[in-house]
Amino acid sequence: CGFFFLMIRRPPRSTLDRSSAASDVYKRQVSTQSTWGTQKMQTTSVLDHTFFDNPKSAGNFVCLIVLNRKMKFSLFQLAYKLADYVIFADGGARIVQRCISAKCSLDDYLPNVVLGDMDSITEESKMTYSKLGVHIVIRDSVDETDSEKAIMFLEEEILPPVIKSGDKKVKVIILGAFGGRMDHTIQNIHLLWKKSMSSPLSTRDYEILMLDNHNLMTVLKPQINIIKISKTVEAPTGCGIVPLVECTKIATDGLKYNMGPAYPFKSLQFGSFISTSNEVVSDTVTIDATHPLLWMTSIQKFSQAITNRQNLIVEYYF
């Protein structure tokens, strides 16, 4: 027989807000430099998300994977225009085909390949893409999801020479990673974690970003992570830092509610404390961590969406 004790720290009165989940977090607005002194790790990585804000750069190699989920049309357009290589993963091809045809020509948004086990795309759709010169890659293994098959294809066939050249930073954008079935969402988060931490290509210049209509997520490695915030895609409110394993020490700068030696919370762990409902207050956010973390931000508002329920472009605001 055992006992479980839960200690709840009451936030200052000035932070209580019944309409915001942020009131659950102990907030202190103290200006301090994120540092662990002599224990600070030496490895530093810059995660530059401002590539979303600028025209295609010769210094980046951007890959786009489109999954079988509804997505904002303007967000899809933005990612497509930035991409050097595009994969429509199985049903993602059907999503784009149905919706693009209602607005413009499919020729304007062709992928390099359509890839997957092809259980979510019709023979007619496959024929349409094939006639337009798109390579159809069938991978029917049941041990990987279509999203993992797409990343594996990039790692095996496309990215090795890019990584070897050493003159480009690789960004892999996966659209439609969240929402819908919870097991699919959890599997994609697991995939993000696995490929970011253990992929043979997981160098400092290789970043995977998963997005849906509302969220962006990436992995922070155990080092000093300097995130350059995209003003086009990342909203300043609604960001979080979540551990999948205990992060024994963390120090942040550039957030409204920072963590570190000068703050009440110095570690992150499920069942103890995680950081949510935070806000970005700087063009860059620095996160110095002893263990890997998930970094997530809300997505800026866009006015159009692709929907997989109708052969239409649906305009809306939210």
Side-chain angles (χ1 to χ4, degrees):
C1 179
F3 297 90
F4 177 76
F5 295 92
L6 175 64
M7 182 179 72
I8 301 177
R9 186 189 297 269
R10 179 183 177 86
R13 290 185 181 273
S14 61
T15 68
L16 293 177
D17 183 351
R18 295 173 60 187
S19 65
S20 172
S23 63
D24 295 333
V25 181
Y26 188 85
K27 305 170 184 176
R28 292 186 59 185
Q29 300 182 45
V30 181
S31 177
T32 186
Q33 186 68 30
S34 300
T35 181
W36 292 106
T38 58
Q39 299 180 20
K40 194 174 184 70
M41 293 170 287
Q42 298 302 310
T43 304
T44 300
S45 178
V46 177
L47 305 179
D48 190 352
H49 296 173
T50 63
F51 78 95
F52 282 112
D53 308 333
N54 303 306
K56 187 181 295 186
S57 169
N60 294 320
F61 188 86
V62 179
C63 301
L64 172 62
I65 299 172
V66 179
L67 303 182
N68 187 17
R69 292 297 306 164
K70 66 178 182 179
M71 63 199 72
K72 297 174 183 175
F73 182 56
S74 49
L75 183 60
F76 166 76
Q77 284 182 310
L78 172 65
Y80 186 90
K81 290 177 181 178
L82 291 172
D84 298 286
Y85 197 90
V86 180
I87 297 176
F88 291 170
D90 203 341
R94 178 178 56 87
I95 294 284
V96 176
Q97 183 185 7
R98 283 184 174 183
C99 300
I100 292 300
S101 61
K103 181 84 173 180
C104 51
S105 172
L106 182 61
D107 291 11
D108 297 328
Y109 295 97
L110 290 177
N112 295 90
V113 300
V114 172
L115 180 147
D117 57 14
M118 304 301 161
D119 65 345
S120 300
I121 185 173
T122 65
E123 287 296 324
E124 182 181 359
S125 291
K126 285 195 292 183
M127 287 294 295
T128 298
Y129 280 101
S130 182
K131 288 178 180 179
L132 291 170
V134 176
H135 187 36
I136 308 297
V137 178
I138 299 176
R139 294 200 170 184
D140 53 9
S141 169
V142 297
D143 295 326
E144 299 90 21
T145 62
D146 287 327
S147 50
E148 183 165 9
K149 291 171 185 175
I151 293 180
M152 290 172 62
F153 179 83
L154 290 175
E155 292 176 340
E156 295 166 2
E157 305 292 339
I158 307 302
L159 293 180
V162 178
I163 295 289
K164 186 176 181 180
S165 69
D167 60 353
K168 291 181 182 290
K169 295 183 177 180
V170 175
K171 304 288 187 182
V172 178
I173 304 170
I174 304 180
L175 288 184
F178 314 121
R181 283 172 48 181
M182 183 56 70
D183 61 329
H184 286 176
T185 296
I186 295 297
Q187 175 62 32
N188 281 330
I189 294 173
H190 167 255
L191 176 63
L192 172 64
W193 185 274
K194 180 173 73 171
K195 289 299 182 180
S196 297
M197 297 306 300
S198 61
S199 166
L201 302 182
S202 58
T203 68
R204 288 195 299 171
D205 294 330
Y206 178 52
E207 183 184 11
I208 301 173
L209 302 105
M210 288 190 169
L211 291 86
D212 70 354
N213 287 347
H214 305 285
N215 311 280
L216 177 149
M217 182 183 292
T218 191
V219 168
L220 306 179
K221 296 181 181 179
Q223 58 191 8
I224 304 169
N225 299 273
I226 300 174
I227 308 167
K228 295 185 178 181
I229 301 297
S230 165
K231 294 183 179 180
T232 302
V233 173
E234 295 174 286
T237 58
C239 67
I241 309 170
V242 175
L244 292 185
V245 297
E246 181 183 8
C247 182
T248 55
K249 290 183 179 180
I250 181 171
T252 69
D253 189 50
L255 299 174
K256 187 174 183 180
Y257 310 113
N258 282 308
M259 293 167 282
Y263 298 90
F265 298 105
K266 305 174 181 63
S267 65
L268 295 176
Q269 183 180 16
F270 272 103
S272 175
F273 177 77
I274 64 174
S275 174
T276 62
S277 303
N278 213 326
E279 299 180 25
V280 174
V281 295
S282 175
D283 291 340
T284 61
V285 172
T286 301
I287 301 174
D288 183 358
T290 55
H291 295 79
L293 298 164
L294 294 173
W295 164 256
M296 57 202 73
T297 61
S298 297
I299 292 293
Q300 293 279 13
K301 293 181 179 180
F302 289 81
S303 62
Q304 293 181 318
I306 287 179
T307 174
N308 62 349
R309 296 181 179 177
Q310 296 177 328
N311 187 17
L312 296 170
I313 298 294
V314 179
E315 295 191 6
Y316 71 107
Y317 294 84
F318 64 95

